[in-house]
Amino acid sequence: MVQSLPTNAQAAPAKPRPRVRLLPYLLSLPALLICVAILVPFVTAAVYSLQRYRLNLPYLRGFIGAGNYIDFLSDPAFWNTFQVSITYTVLTVVVELLLGLGIALLLRRPTRFHNAVSIMLLLPLMTAPAIAALMWKLMTNPSFGILSYMVSLFGVTDFKWASDPSSALFTVVLVDVWVYTPFIMILLLAGLRSLPRQPFEAAALDGVPASFVFFRITLPMLAPYIITASLFRLLDSIQQFDIIYAMTQGGPGDRLMVFQVQAYLEFFQYTNVGRSAALLMILWLITNILSNIFIKNWLRLRERAHGHA
């Protein structure tokens, strides 16, 4: 008998082309390269933090385990760095959050004037932090700075700004607020304009006081946006380097010696790679803990907003 040829329905499935089989791997290649670019420096820093490693004394290099971390526990300079970093972070985030929320509330209605003002307020955010710090350093110069002259008009003479330990923190916080408040403002403004209108319209019809609407309706609905903006600024502020180093290099003395500046000086000035890497690993641990706290609160607020809490 002559065997019948297979029909189209019975034909074997065609094998995928080699290019089609490689496509998922090619699409995931950029993400893989980014992971490698992140993990390689991180693992390298973690290894260096466990070593006694000084560039000027290479023959003393060796594995000391947690020796660098243990030394920090009894080092007053480290605890000063920790205190200054946390103080700087709290001050900048709180002030910028309050100012950003206030400006966003003023520009809440999407009118042409409000849109133009919001665009103008974004100009400081487009300035590089180091350039902004140098500009403010000139403006706060006690001899010829415009801000020093304006302060003298109110009877305050010989104000040292960043060169005085009593006012150095105030000065760098002022620069940070000027640069980054627009970032929080634009995030909260986007959140305010995306809120549903029905609760506010119902409150207006019922004659609910504005304070009650703000604290019981606006703030709870805006809380996820506030937490998101605070998280971004917190992670950036605790790692601040450009503004502080450009203005004071961590001084006067150690008044503004934050983690990034201290790690920079340990590496480039004291050539102590091990201590510098250990400081950066401690900074990573702090930021990881803080970000986890913020993310857990953000998820809890999101579940409550969806009615699952």
Side-chain angles (χ1 to χ4, degrees):
M1 295 179 63
V2 179
Q3 188 176 2
S4 60
L5 295 175
T7 61
N8 293 335
Q10 297 174 347
K15 294 183 179 180
R17 297 178 181 179
R19 292 182 180 179
V20 177
R21 287 182 297 184
L22 291 176
L23 183 60
Y25 301 100
L26 292 175
L27 293 177
S28 61
L29 184 60
L32 179 61
L33 293 177
I34 292 175
C35 289
V36 172
I38 293 174
L39 289 177
V40 169
F42 179 83
V43 173
T44 303
V47 172
Y48 285 164
S49 70
L50 302 176
Q51 299 179 9
R52 183 193 299 109
Y53 185 11
R54 298 184 66 109
L55 295 178
N56 60 339
L57 300 171
Y59 52 88
L60 293 180
R61 181 177 178 179
F63 179 80
I64 58 173
N68 288 321
Y69 300 96
I70 295 174
D71 290 342
F72 285 137
L73 297 178
S74 57
D75 188 359
F78 167 76
W79 292 111
N80 176 74
T81 298
F82 179 84
Q83 180 182 359
V84 172
S85 299
I86 297 300
T87 304
Y88 179 86
T89 302
V90 172
L91 287 176
T92 53
V93 172
V94 170
V95 174
E96 291 166 12
L97 185 61
L98 293 176
L99 286 177
L101 179 59
I103 298 172
L105 290 171
L106 292 175
L107 304 177
R108 181 173 183 175
R109 294 188 179 184
T111 63
R112 290 185 178 180
F113 175 74
H114 287 173
N115 292 337
V117 172
S118 63
I119 292 173
M120 291 178 61
L121 290 176
L122 288 177
L123 292 178
L125 193 60
M126 301 177 187
T127 307
I131 300 300
L134 293 176
M135 180 181 66
W136 277 80
K137 189 174 183 178
L138 292 174
M139 292 193 301
T140 57
N141 188 286
S143 301
F144 55 81
I146 181 64
L147 291 181
S148 297
Y149 171 74
M150 295 177 63
V151 168
S152 67
L153 296 179
F154 296 93
V156 181
T157 59
D158 197 26
F159 191 65
K160 299 295 186 181
W161 297 95
S163 58
D164 190 339
S166 61
S167 57
L169 182 60
F170 164 78
T171 305
V172 293
V173 168
L174 184 63
V175 179
D176 196 294
V177 168
W178 182 82
V179 174
Y180 290 109
T181 296
F183 173 77
I184 291 185
M185 179 270 296
I186 202 65
L187 286 181
L188 298 185
L189 182 60
L192 283 170
R193 292 184 177 181
S194 65
L195 296 180
R197 306 304 309 166
Q198 292 82 1
F200 301 97
E201 293 173 355
L205 291 175
D206 294 338
V208 179
S211 58
F212 183 90
V213 173
F214 176 73
F215 288 105
R216 295 301 182 89
I217 299 178
T218 304
L219 277 184
M221 296 175 67
L222 196 63
Y225 299 93
I226 294 175
I227 290 179
T228 302
S230 301
L231 175 61
F232 279 118
R233 282 303 304 133
L234 182 143
L235 296 180
D236 196 28
S237 293
I238 202 170
Q239 303 176 70
Q240 181 56 249
F241 174 80
D242 300 351
I243 294 175
I244 294 177
Y245 189 80
M247 292 199 72
T248 68
Q249 291 81 43
D254 58 355
R255 185 68 181 87
L256 296 176
M257 192 62 66
V258 294
F259 275 108
Q260 289 280 29
V261 175
Q262 181 65 33
Y264 177 86
L265 294 178
E266 287 284 355
F267 189 99
F268 290 98
Q269 184 172 336
Y270 310 129
T271 66
N272 196 329
V273 180
R275 283 178 62 90
S276 176
L279 276 171
L280 294 178
M281 296 306 299
I282 293 173
L283 178 60
W284 169 82
L285 180 62
I286 294 173
T287 55
N288 188 41
I289 293 173
L290 293 176
S291 60
N292 283 332
I293 294 174
F294 272 76
I295 291 172
K296 286 180 180 179
N297 283 281
W298 184 85
L299 293 174
R300 179 175 56 83
L301 289 173
R302 189 183 67 171
E303 291 178 358
R304 180 180 299 177
H306 288 281
H308 296 303

